Amino acid sequence: MDREHQGKGDYLNDLLNKMKSAASPFRDVLRELHSQYQAVDEGAVATYIPELAKANPDWFGISVVTAEAQSFDVGDSQQLFTMQSISKPFVFGLALEDHGREHVLTKVGVEPTGEAFNSILLDESSNRPFNPMVNAGAIATADLINGRDFPERLERLLKMFGRYCGRDVYIDNAVFLSERATGHRNRAMGHLMLNFGMVSDRVEETLELYFQQCSMLVNSHDLAVMGATLANGGVNPITKTRAIKSELVKDLLASMLSCGMYDYAGEWAYRVGIPAKSGVAGGLLGVIPGKMGIGVFSPRLDSKGNTVRGIKVFQQLSERFGLHIFESGFQGESIGRLLQPERSART
Ligand code: DON
């Protein structure tokens, strides 16, 4: 919504949130983390999609948006990059809205694989891909997106991401073409699933849709807003627009916690304990239910395809503020206090 059409109350709230964020000591925490990890140069930019290799490996943005619509951005938080696999839980959400849980679960499971994101394995007993976060499962999920034809299906995805981000979302055509030109493995998985009746015979169209969803452009601020929308029961806390039915939010978060980091998912759940999703362009989105969304962007990836600096930022935030989902009786620093403007944080 642009300012002209915003109600007076919304405008004042927005202004108040900006003032609160500007004066809150939490900004300094994010600045500290940014300068602490900026020097980390482990990992490498993804090259298997040639267009992704053009990313500057030093880009580094950190953003947090709270369920009360406070925003914190440091570093390259406005730098656009493609969502890649971060799109997967959101498309899963739309498939659930289109068909309901029981039908979706006949086409894709919710079981972690312990395998890489591009694993070609299907569950032998059901022929389903294991979960919606690995490529095979994401292709099966994209196949479920309703629409009369390809443009309508794509338009529905763009609109959905627009609700989460609170702005119109666009596709990076160069990345899309690059991914489509080199996506033989994904194409093979699509056809294998067609053989087993897990996807419909519009599989080529569905692959196009999958390549398009991966090529949608966001920045770390957008990731934080998307995460905050899930943290806020499916309503974008800035625009107040509902992006997904509240009862489905937990489906996305459970799948993100168990499968969002691929073959690092178990260790991630153990060490960090934040439902999260990574993408090979270097994005990482996390959700602290009821509290906030966190977005980090840094294109250097580890061997499992997860952003190296992103993992470090999340580890720090989780440990320092007790953000692990199973944390109880945390005695450390209160993030709630830090979010308050400076004066009240000291009292
Ligand atoms: O299908 C692919 O290979 C990419 N479009 C998405 C993979 C991805 O982001 C894996 N995440 N770490």
Side-chain angles (χ1 to χ4, degrees):
M1 200 191 313
D2 61 55
R3 187 91 349 122
E4 262 180 354
H5 299 100
Q6 227 175 8
K8 204 170 165 190
D10 289 344
Y11 175 69
L12 287 176
N13 268 338
D14 188 28
L15 199 63
L16 192 66
N17 276 326
K18 284 199 173 113
M19 286 162 66
K20 272 204 222 157
S21 310
S24 134
F26 188 61
R27 286 167 71 84
D28 299 331
V29 171
L30 296 186
R31 283 204 192 104
E32 254 172 55
L33 287 174
H34 189 271
S35 59
Q36 185 179 351
Y37 293 125
Q38 193 153 33
V40 173
D41 62 359
E42 294 150 37
V45 170
T47 52
Y48 78 99
I49 298 171
E51 199 60 28
L52 294 184
K54 295 182 180 167
N56 177 347
D58 293 327
W59 280 330
F60 188 23
I62 307 178
S63 301
V64 170
V65 172
T66 69
E68 274 85 42
Q70 274 182 264
S71 289
F72 304 88
D73 296 294
V74 298
D76 300 310
S77 60
Q78 297 304 309
Q79 177 60 51
L80 292 170
F81 56 91
T82 52
M83 238 186 292
Q84 298 296 334
S85 289
I86 297 170
S87 60
K88 293 171 179 174
F90 299 93
V91 178
F92 179 48
L94 189 57
L96 288 166
E97 285 196 328
D98 280 358
H99 299 276
R101 259 180 214 130
E102 293 323 310
H103 180 70
V104 172
L105 289 178
T106 63
K107 302 292 179 189
V108 59
V110 284
E111 208 57 58
T113 58
E115 299 281 335
F117 67 83
N118 59 0
S119 163
I120 214 151
L121 276 182
L122 299 179
D123 182 335
E124 265 182 28
S125 57
S126 64
N127 293 325
R128 288 180 311 178
F130 279 90
N131 64 66
M133 305 297 143
V134 288
N135 291 1
I139 294 165
T141 308
D143 192 59
L144 293 169
I145 298 308
N146 282 343
R148 266 192 319 269
D149 50 19
F150 178 72
E152 189 175 299
R153 294 171 78 203
L154 179 58
E155 184 63 20
R156 292 192 67 233
L157 284 190
L158 285 164
K159 287 241 164 71
M160 173 197 65
F161 284 115
R163 291 193 295 274
Y164 279 105
C165 292
R167 64 169 181 84
D168 289 339
V169 171
Y170 302 96
I171 289 163
D172 184 325
N173 202 42
V175 172
F176 163 66
L177 293 175
S178 183
E179 184 154 356
R180 179 212 238 173
T182 53
H184 313 302
R185 196 176 167 104
N186 285 329
R187 213 163 270 117
M189 282 183 229
H191 284 271
L192 183 65
M193 290 191 290
L194 175 61
N195 172 65
F196 287 123
M198 286 296 119
V199 293
S200 64
D201 57 8
R202 59 180 180 181
V203 62
E204 284 298 332
E205 185 187 295
T206 287
L207 283 159
E208 293 283 290
L209 200 63
Y210 171 72
F211 296 141
Q212 296 268 17
Q213 75 178 63
C214 290
S215 306
M216 291 185 191
L217 284 164
V218 286
N219 55 36
S220 70
H221 176 79
D222 294 322
L223 293 186
V225 179
M226 292 163 79
T229 301
L230 293 179
N232 193 38
V235 174
N236 181 318
I238 297 173
T239 62
K240 315 286 183 229
T241 304
R242 177 164 291 286
I244 182 170
K245 286 183 186 156
S246 59
E247 64 266 31
L248 293 175
V249 169
K250 62 180 181 301
D251 296 52
L252 278 61
L253 296 185
S255 183
M256 286 162 73
L257 184 65
S258 58
C259 315
M261 303 296 279
Y262 308 112
D263 34 344
Y264 186 61
E267 199 163 335
W268 174 268
Y270 180 75
R271 289 184 189 279
V272 181
I274 294 175
K277 187 72 208 80
S278 62
V280 284
L284 180 54
L285 175 156
V287 180
I288 315 297
K291 292 200 172 70
M292 60 181 65
I294 305 172
V296 179
F297 169 54
S298 167
R300 286 195 178 93
L301 309 180
D302 63 18
S303 59
K304 299 180 174 187
N306 298 317
T307 166
V308 175
R309 290 176 185 163
I311 288 179
K312 291 185 187 297
V313 170
F314 271 79
Q315 261 169 353
Q316 273 282 324
L317 286 172
S318 175
E319 274 167 33
R320 180 159 166 189
F321 299 111
L323 299 179
H324 195 293
I325 199 162
F326 301 126
E327 183 72 64
S328 57
F330 180 69
Q331 298 293 318
E333 222 171 338
S334 152
I335 202 164
R337 265 168 84 88
L338 281 184
L339 289 169
Q340 297 305 314
E342 190 97 54
R343 207 172 338 134
S344 53
R346 285 201 187 118
T347 55

